[in-house]
Amino acid sequence: MISLSLVALPLVVSYLVYIYLVFPVFFSPLSKIPSAHFLSSFSPVWILWKRYKGQENRAIHAAHVKYGGIVRLGPNEVSVACVDNGIRTVYSGGFEKWNWYPNQFENYGVPNMFSMANSKPHSIQKRMISNVYSKSYLQSSPELHQISKIMIFDRLLPLLQDVATKGQSLDVHDLNHSSTMDFIIAFIFGLQTSTNFIQDVKTRKEWISIYQSRRPFRFWAAELPGVVCFFKRLGINIIPAWVSNANRWLEDWTLEKCDAAAASVYEFEDPFSAGKEKLDTLPTTPTRTTPIVFCQLADCLKPNPAYRSPHPMRLSIATELHDHLAAGHETSGITLTYLFHELSLNPPIQSRLRAELRAHLPSLLPSSPERKPHDMPNPRTIDALPFLNACLLETLRIHAAIPGPQPRITPHSPSMSLANSPPLPGGVRVSAQAYTLHRNADVFPEPELWRPERWIEASEAEKLEMGRWFWAFGSGGRMCIGRHFAVQEMKLITAAIYANFTTHIVDDEGIEQIDAYTAGPKGNKLMLRFERVE
């Protein structure tokens, strides 16, 4: 027995050394890929540490600058930073999502489009609602026209006029999140059910504070869910209980919006009475159509034979809409903050933008005998303004609200080669990040400079190449479904403000972006002063 143990122990040790050290370092197909760190060949410790410390995006970017289009981040993980044989292969080639998504983006324990790991259910649900987020639909939507008119003329501009008259400064980062939330909630659930965060400061601060408080604990749920569960069995909560309470509070808040929207649209009192699903009893013809996204999703899910979810339909609707309102307000709010900051730093560019806006959008200016008061400009007119478009594109490039990696998993068959690598086995975590793609100096000269002119002065071939590398909304079948809504909303808000005001920085301490998947300013604020332009 002793002799057998003496023989078996070295064999077991040798096997483990081969599996966890020799094979990944010397024989794995990934061994031919440059390692971002010497630990990356045989341990995920380095990249996990960078993620935990909030240094992931810049660390990956530095590795790509040093080694090129593909780098190894861990024993079973790579990052790509190229278009051909890179993001086109991964994100347009049907690579499935890594479990990183459902680990942190499910609500109510129910999948939504963003958290769905597999492409097939995602495609089914995307087809249900993609039409109401299409550019043509949004630009011609009477509901969105009415929403925009109220948000701009009844809420936003009067607030800014009051601030300008009093000579006060204003935290526009807070205001931007409020404006984008009011827009997206009204489009999803209808004006009668929407928030009024622009004017209701107390409520918005409470909501945003609860929403943002969970951020420091996302790492554990996303990267090490098994560790969280292990310690939980031992009675140790790595993620505090109050984080779960905050999640439940936000989920309950969305359910209330869903129920209120259903009650307002259908001639049916309390359609989800006591939490019970009653969508099957709703009339087929709604009496009102204001809650656009809610109605579209509810009407599609109810009769859809492809809908085979084990979850109650009420929660299937709520999880999807919760994701839309969360992503819809946060990313657009961050982008507007950095756009306003850059414009405030660059008075000549601000003046050039204002000249374009005043020349083509007179209806956004104060009413006069020659103009109809508060007549909204045509969205197509706003969308066609070249310098406004350039300012927004450049902000989305250098200050992408989601600069972090978008993880996918390589297919088991066929084996795929990326960025001239050897064929990769199935099950490898692979990702790209906008932070690196947007800093390719060959495509974007002087990439760290915010220079809107690059989008106007470039040749047609250069514009085409910049478009191929522009990744603020992702690409492929999983590309952001709300991108047209976000662009239309952000252009309108920017146009309304800079047609009427100049902005000046009062306090931009902490304006640098945090290093995270979703990246707002470190100081979580931007104080500006507004001056009326007559």
Side-chain angles (χ1 to χ4, degrees), residues 4 50 117 125 194 235 253 267 289 366 523:
L4 285 175
K50 291 297 182 183
Q125 189 138 317
S194 71
W253 186 87
E267 292 178 336
T289 58

Side-chain angles (χ1 to χ4, degrees), residues 197-214:
F197 282 1
I198 294 175
Q199 296 174 322
D200 188 349
V201 177
K202 180 180 178 181
T203 301
R204 88 182 184 215
K205 286 188 178 296
E206 177 188 20
W207 195 96
I208 292 173
S209 174
I210 293 172
Y211 179 84
Q212 295 181 344
S213 67
R214 309 161 301 150

